[in-house]
Amino acid sequence: MAVVQPAPAHSRQFLSGNEAVARAAWDAGVRVAAAYPGTPSTEILEVLARFPDLYTEWSVNEKVSLEVALGASMVGARALCAMKHVGLNVASDALMTLAVTGVEGGLVIVVADDVGMSSSQNEQDSRFWGRFAHLPVFEPADSQEAYTLTRAAFALSEQFRTAVIVRLTTRICHVKGAVTAGEREVIEPTGFEKDPPRWVMVPGHAKPRLPLMFDREAALREAAEISEFNVLETGTDTRVGFVTSGPAGMHVLEAFPDAPVLRLGFSYPPPLERIRALAAQVDRLVVVEETEPLLETELKAVGIDCHGKDILPRLGELPPSILTPAIGRLLRGEAPIEVDRPAPQPVFPRPPTLCVACPHLGVYYTLSQLRNVIISGDIGCYTLGAGHPWNALDTCISMGASMGMALGMDKGRGAKDANKKIVAVIGDSTFMHMGMQGLLDITYNGGNVTILLLDNRTVGMTGGQDNPASGRDIHGMEAPRVDFVQLCEALGVRSERIRKVDPYELPTLFKALREETKIEGPSVIITDRPCVLIGEYKPTLTYKVIDDSCTGCGNCLDVGCPAIHVTRRGQETKPSGRVVDLSFVRIDTAACTGCGLCVQPCAPEAIVHAQTVQPLSFMRQSGSPA
């Protein structure tokens, strides 16, 4: 990855919130930045990795990324780690202890909440972590604030010797706006000072530090009261006033331009006295927060009367289309309705699916042919195996959970499931993130589980980032590549129960699954084909359908490749009287890459080479993975 010189200071740029955070970190003199890719936070590290004069890495998981950043802070360097909301759950072990130790060099934790669940399995409010860990929370409302507050977070971190959480949401991460950057700071690390009572967190050392943490929180509360980032937008219509934070504040200003609005950029600890003063100036005070009623509950606890989730929904974003009718009913004295959410816009249905020639297609086609099996799934592109036409995934909870859940199913099964085979499906990056421990648990405890480890040599779901299985680092430079066969053997799987197969060879994959699921004990089947969206993938001769030979059997459709299109449907009555549905197809040769998966189940052999090679240039960004 080529190093890019950032635009000059004071230049006006059009940046997303993620890009603005990256630029702010560079301008703040960050020396170390670490992350595990996760939408909507991924681009922060991708952008930072292109900047000069700092160290960046893709860590194997979020806990490691936070520990790397904390280590840098301990030697006096400014550091940043970034993650999506569920990633902070993974990092919370380190988070809760660094809240006690404090930091040296400025340490900023950027967490991106997926409000509305565009790409996540839950909708989590990371502001809770500020309360839980007694750490300050900043909430930018647009790209400029993402830049300004991130830079300010480093200064606050060093002033109070605490980590600072910068909470973004999907809207801030991905929506672009005008940003003016400042001058870059050059921060020299101060060096590590040995201080076991501070850095060695045994109970005897931790107990004396707890009062210091509470004193720090009290001082932060005073700082929030006078912070320039808590802005009162005055208004003449005092029938209702608002306290809000993040992008919800922009929605409030748009919907009620004449109302007083206190926008909290420094949202925790909350400036209670400023809020109390606003409440005294208006007839009604409304707390507008995405997604949980944290501030509302705190205000009511100190005797500040307010409305919040009694009139507003607890899920999703709070745009004017939701705010305006809800506040209108409040002002008219009408009872709130349970759901204040507009009906979704009618669009042509387009369910998510795997890419053309994705190496996971053959895996799920094969799994869909198995009977009497429970399939424990995981987080990644391969989660789509739960959908049509495969319907070959039975569970999906969190990263790495496929392994532990499969073991639990095995150990907890009763008579109803006694004869069922249990298969766990996990990707290469997810396996390294949190699956290795699960496999060790399976082998240690004698689980009867077959693991499908899908190695496509990238973090596919978040856009093709590198990982220890790709053999490249965040800059695309050569790095040690994990050997999954050796790794699984080291984790306790017998060598004869580890197979590496080509997922494009359906008979081989089917045979391996049939054989391994019949044998007691843990086994691992590693599929070895690169993601079609990375440079390592090499397309071959494309295919087409001979119309006159196609019988409409539809077997090729069961593979699930989006390059195969139904041209017409029909029915046929068999001599037995059974009516069979027919689907006649064609292959979009412009999209086909020649993987050959559709050829193998084609009964009439109607699929043949089209004698063209598609370079996939339309699917990739120039010079880098898509």
Side-chain angles (χ1 to χ4, degrees):
M1 183 185 297
V3 173
V4 175
Q5 191 64 37
H10 309 297
S11 60
R12 194 170 172 84
Q13 303 168 67
F14 194 56
L15 303 178
S16 69
N18 283 342
E19 293 168 331
V21 166
R23 176 60 192 260
W26 188 75
D27 283 347
V30 161
R31 195 175 184 91
V32 171
Y36 180 83
T39 305
S41 69
T42 305
E43 295 81 8
I44 295 171
L45 256 289
E46 286 186 328
V47 173
L48 260 177
R50 302 188 188 112
F51 290 175
D53 307 323
L54 81 162
Y55 169 80
T56 53
E57 74 167 40
W58 287 129
S59 305
V60 293
N61 64 33
E62 296 85 359
K63 179 176 182 288
V64 172
S65 77
L66 181 53
E67 290 160 350
V68 168
L70 177 59
S73 172
M74 284 180 175
V75 299
R78 285 189 168 182
L80 174 142
C81 68
M83 60 199 72
K84 68 183 294 180
H85 60 293
V86 290
L88 196 48
N89 302 335
V90 178
S92 61
D93 190 12
L95 179 78
M96 297 304 291
T97 301
L98 70 82
V100 180
T101 65
V103 305
E104 279 300 307
L107 175 56
V108 173
I109 303 164
V110 183
V111 56
D113 284 4
D114 190 14
V115 176
M117 293 188 290
S118 299
S119 58
S120 306
Q121 66 268 40
N122 62 44
E123 188 179 56
Q124 180 178 308
D125 194 330
S126 294
R127 295 178 303 155
F128 273 112
W129 290 109
R131 276 85 173 163
F132 196 8
H134 307 280
L135 298 177
V137 178
F138 281 3
E139 290 189 76
D142 59 18
S143 293
Q144 180 64 64
E145 287 192 5
Y147 175 87
T148 303
L149 290 179
T150 300
R151 287 206 66 171
F154 286 101
L156 187 79
S157 173
E158 290 171 348
Q159 178 185 352
F160 289 93
R161 302 179 83 182
T162 181
V164 178
I165 296 173
V166 175
R167 185 225 188 189
L168 308 179
T169 68
T170 300
R171 183 165 296 274
I172 298 300
C173 291
H174 291 160
V175 172
K176 294 200 173 191
V179 175
T180 301
E183 297 285 347
R184 189 181 186 219
E185 301 174 73
V186 178
I187 307 294
E188 186 64 26
T190 56
F192 181 70
E193 296 292 336
K194 293 192 178 217
D195 187 1
R198 181 182 182 191
W199 298 126
V200 182
M201 281 292 96
V202 294
H205 292 166
K207 289 176 184 177
R209 294 200 62 83
L210 289 178
L212 300 178
M213 182 178 69
F214 297 135
D215 290 343
R216 181 189 70 207
E217 189 173 34
L220 284 164
R221 192 175 299 278
E222 293 179 5
E225 292 286 354
I226 60 173
S227 174
E228 62 181 299
F229 305 123
N230 293 331
V231 180
L232 178 62
E233 311 279 356
T234 58
T236 57
D237 185 356
T238 58
R239 293 177 301 164
V240 60
F242 297 92
V243 182
T244 183
S245 61
M250 295 303 192
H251 295 317
V252 171
L253 290 176
E254 180 182 347
F256 302 97
D258 298 324
V261 180
L262 179 58
R263 294 196 303 112
L264 305 181
F266 186 165
S267 68
Y268 185 80
L272 296 176
E273 295 311 311
R274 293 186 67 177
I275 297 171
R276 198 185 303 274
L278 175 61
Q281 299 170 17
V282 298
D283 297 336
R284 299 175 180 84
L285 184 68
V286 177
V287 180
V288 180
E289 52 189 332
E290 298 171 344
T291 54
E292 297 287 345
L294 272 70
L295 183 59
E296 175 191 349
T297 301
E298 291 165 348
L299 296 186
K300 290 177 178 177
V302 297
I304 300 176
D305 187 34
C306 61
H307 294 278
K309 297 306 180 183
D310 56 329
I311 64 171
L312 296 170
R314 290 183 64 166
L315 68 158
E317 295 185 298
L318 299 175
S321 58
I322 291 175
L323 291 172
T324 302
I327 302 302
R329 281 190 290 274
L330 175 67
L331 293 177
R332 293 190 300 269
E334 299 175 4
I337 63 174
E338 184 175 349
V339 177
D340 246 335
R341 189 160 298 281
Q345 294 295 317
V347 295
F348 186 81
R350 185 182 180 275
T353 190
L354 296 168
C355 297
V356 172
C358 174
H360 304 334
L361 288 171
V363 171
Y364 283 114
Y365 173 80
T366 304
L367 286 173
S368 70
Q369 308 302 307
L370 297 180
R371 296 294 176 264
N372 211 31
V373 62
I374 302 173
I375 306 169
S376 176
D378 225 296
I379 303 291
C381 293
Y382 45 88
T383 310
L384 296 169
H388 181 79
W390 316 282
N391 304 311
L393 205 66
D394 298 316
T395 69
C396 178
I397 300 298
S398 60
M399 293 195 76
S402 62
M403 314 295 280
M405 292 194 307
L407 178 61
M409 290 172 180
D410 176 40
K411 300 301 185 182
R413 69 171 93 195
K416 184 177 179 181
D417 299 317
N419 297 320
K420 291 182 179 177
K421 314 300 182 184
I422 296 176
V423 175
V425 182
I426 192 167
D428 53 342
S429 179
T430 310
F431 181 74
M432 292 178 290
H433 176 282
M434 201 59 72
M436 292 187 291
Q437 301 93 321
L439 178 57
L440 181 59
D441 204 46
I442 289 171
T443 59
Y444 177 64
N445 292 292
N448 185 17
V449 178
T450 299
I451 294 98
L452 268 168
L453 203 172
L454 312 183
D455 180 12
N456 64 357
R457 303 170 204 173
T458 189
V459 190
M461 181 63 94
T462 52
Q465 292 75 32
D466 286 308
N467 62 50
S470 69
R472 294 178 298 274
D473 65 13
I474 194 171
H475 303 288
M477 304 300 291
E478 186 175 347
R481 181 176 174 182
V482 168
D483 185 320
F484 283 117
V485 173
Q486 292 184 9
L487 179 57
C488 292
E489 190 171 357
L491 291 170
V493 185
R494 300 201 315 271
S495 59
E496 66 270 20
R497 300 298 305 280
I498 303 171
R499 301 195 191 192
K500 183 181 283 190
V501 301
D502 184 343
Y504 288 165
E505 295 179 4
L506 298 182
T508 304
L509 178 59
F510 186 75
K511 182 173 184 255
L513 269 168
R514 286 289 298 272
E515 290 177 351
E516 291 301 332
T517 54
K518 287 180 178 178
I519 305 173
E520 292 288 324
S523 61
V524 177
I525 300 171
I526 303 166
T527 63
D528 186 28
R529 276 279 183 172
C531 170
V532 298
L533 299 183
I534 66 175
E536 194 173 342
Y537 181 82
K538 305 300 180 187
T540 58
L541 292 176
T542 62
Y543 287 92
K544 67 179 181 180
V545 176
I546 302 174
D547 293 339
D548 293 341
S549 300
C550 181
T551 62
C553 69
N555 290 347
C556 59
L557 293 173
D558 292 337
V559 172
C561 179
I564 305 173
H565 302 280
V566 176
T567 57
R568 61 187 176 90
R569 300 186 186 276
Q571 288 186 331
E572 180 183 46
T573 303
K574 296 292 185 180
S576 63
R578 184 169 64 94
V579 177
V580 178
D581 292 325
L582 302 177
S583 298
F584 298 89
V585 302
R586 68 176 178 85
I587 294 175
D588 183 355
T589 55
C592 176
T593 70
C595 72
L597 284 170
C598 59
V599 178
Q600 298 172 68
C602 179
E605 299 182 352
I607 300 176
V608 298
H609 280 301
Q611 301 301 317
T612 60
V613 174
Q614 169 58 41
L616 283 187
S617 57
F618 71 101
M619 300 176 77
R620 298 199 191 103
Q621 299 174 4
S622 177
S624 65

